Amino acid sequence: MQFSDRTAIVTGAAHGIGLAIAQRLQSEGVRLVLGDIDSDKLKGAVETFSGGSDVIGVAADLSSSGGADQLVREAITAFGKVDILVNNAGGGVIRPTLQHTEETIRATLDRNLWTVLNCTLAVLPHMIERGYGRIVNIGAESVRNGLYMHAVYNAAKGGVHGLTTGLAREFAGNGITVNTVAPGSTKTAAVEALMNRLEHAAARADGADQPTGTVGEMIMGIPAAEILEVERQTLALIPVGRHGTVEEIASAATYLASDESAFVTGQVLSVNGGSSML
Ligand SMILES: NC(=O)c1ccc[n+]([C@@H]2O[C@H](COP(=O)([O-])OP(=O)(O)OC[C@H]3O[C@@H](n4cnc5c(N)ncnc54)[C@H](O)[C@@H]3O)[C@@H](O)[C@H]2O)c1
């Protein structure tokens, strides 16, 4: 990959896919600003990077414009510029549509669409002024394959896919590319731990496990057996026959963030084991 003296913001980088993207970018020599709402996990993530001085963390709620402005401001203060924005913060509130409430719908849109809008709007004037930018959004394969229990999440991620094409056209003349990586089901450590707990719960007669924590919040109140059914349906859709890895998503995001992807813009790149094609 080609990166000439670049600085990147990666949102939602405290763990999972975001942290894997940050690690891959750092291995390519990119300076990093990690943004996340979870300050404890973010601190732990920053500490995993060796050589520390080229990596900072900014704890902020990026679903507010104030949080996004703070992230971009601190990045420019620390490193003088921002070349790359990876809009990875997100996460679903996964449940049957009629079990959503106004609160869970707003939470889904806040996490997955407003974080992207706010960070993009905060960084664009700076990128325009410098005549260079790479914006890489993390969307979702479920927008294309209509995965069970994902309708509201898809409304938010579909917004991200749509934003990609419009921004790409509008800012192509400013040296800025805008693309989206759409992951299929990806086994982060958190997802794997949750699935193990659910399998134990479903094996018990009541099957009534109520997981807690970041991933657990997304499916609170949904019986373990139903979530495992979504998992089964997801795998059945993937010709390659397995979930993706965080490194596979990071690899695609890194290409789109690199200097050498200059002629690629307005694209949604599925990294999905073939669960939708074309
Ligand atoms: N894991 C999958 O199977 C999968 C599939 C398709 C798409 N995705 C998307 O990929 C991205 C990363 O996925 P993951 O599984 O690593 O997710 P995750 O939930 O483990 O991590 C998301 C990160 O975003 C942060 N975040 C959420 N809201 C925020 C806010 N308002 N401000 C700042 N930070 C915020 C969280 O604290 C968390 O660290 C997400 O956008 C997710 O929707 C994941």
Side-chain angles (χ1 to χ4, degrees):
M1 298 287 176
Q2 195 194 330
F3 290 91
S4 42
D5 186 34
R6 300 297 182 199
T7 299
I9 289 176
V10 183
T11 71
H15 64 140
I17 292 172
L19 181 56
I21 293 170
Q23 286 166 337
R24 177 65 195 275
L25 287 172
Q26 199 215 24
S27 77
E28 304 280 351
V30 175
R31 290 177 294 271
L32 288 173
V33 181
L34 312 185
D36 205 289
I37 196 170
D38 186 332
S39 53
D40 288 343
K41 278 206 183 115
L42 180 64
K43 194 163 171 279
V46 172
E47 282 166 4
T48 65
F49 288 89
S50 54
S53 62
D54 278 353
V55 182
I56 64 163
V58 178
D61 179 357
L62 304 173
S63 68
S64 81
S65 58
D69 289 345
Q70 179 199 342
L71 176 64
V72 172
R73 205 170 45 244
E74 290 196 27
I76 294 171
T77 303
F79 298 122
K81 61 175 185 152
V82 177
D83 304 291
I84 300 160
L85 169 64
V86 181
N87 280 313
N88 166 81
V93 182
I94 305 305
R95 61 187 58 193
T97 304
L98 295 180
Q99 290 181 33
H100 266 285
T101 62
E102 186 176 337
E103 191 189 352
T104 61
I105 292 170
R106 285 191 191 281
T108 310
L109 292 169
D110 277 352
R111 275 182 215 171
N112 292 285
L113 184 54
W114 274 107
T115 53
V116 177
L117 280 165
N118 287 326
C119 292
T120 302
L121 293 174
V123 85
L124 266 174
H126 172 76
M127 286 182 171
I128 291 166
E129 196 183 317
R130 296 190 58 252
Y132 183 89
R134 295 276 182 274
I135 298 177
V136 182
N137 302 318
I138 305 300
E141 161 68 2
S142 56
V143 174
R144 283 187 166 151
N145 69 16
L147 196 61
Y148 183 54
M149 288 198 199
H150 282 62
V152 171
Y153 177 68
N154 288 347
K157 288 294 193 188
V160 173
H161 291 202
L163 191 65
T164 303
T165 53
L167 289 175
R169 186 175 297 282
E170 196 171 340
F171 298 103
N174 300 96
I176 298 168
T177 64
V178 187
N179 293 287
T180 288
V181 174
S185 182
T186 307
K187 226 160 214 174
T188 61
V191 167
E192 197 156 8
L194 176 71
M195 284 304 159
N196 288 339
R197 286 215 309 282
L198 289 173
E199 269 158 27
H200 282 116
R204 289 201 311 263
D206 59 13
D209 192 29
Q210 294 292 310
T212 56
T214 316
V215 176
E217 278 165 28
M218 300 173 195
I219 59 166
M220 193 65 82
I222 310 296
E226 274 190 50
I227 297 294
L228 288 170
E229 175 59 14
V230 177
E231 163 90 345
R232 195 194 61 71
Q233 290 185 16
T234 306
L235 255 187
L237 286 171
I238 305 174
V240 169
R242 64 170 174 82
H243 297 278
T245 67
V246 292
E247 291 80 12
E248 287 166 332
I249 309 304
S251 172
T254 301
Y255 166 66
L256 293 171
S258 73
D259 292 14
E260 62 195 274
S261 63
F263 201 55
V264 180
T265 196
Q267 305 302 310
V268 176
L269 172 58
S270 294
V271 182
N272 62 7
S275 72
S276 68
M277 299 187 182
L278 256 186

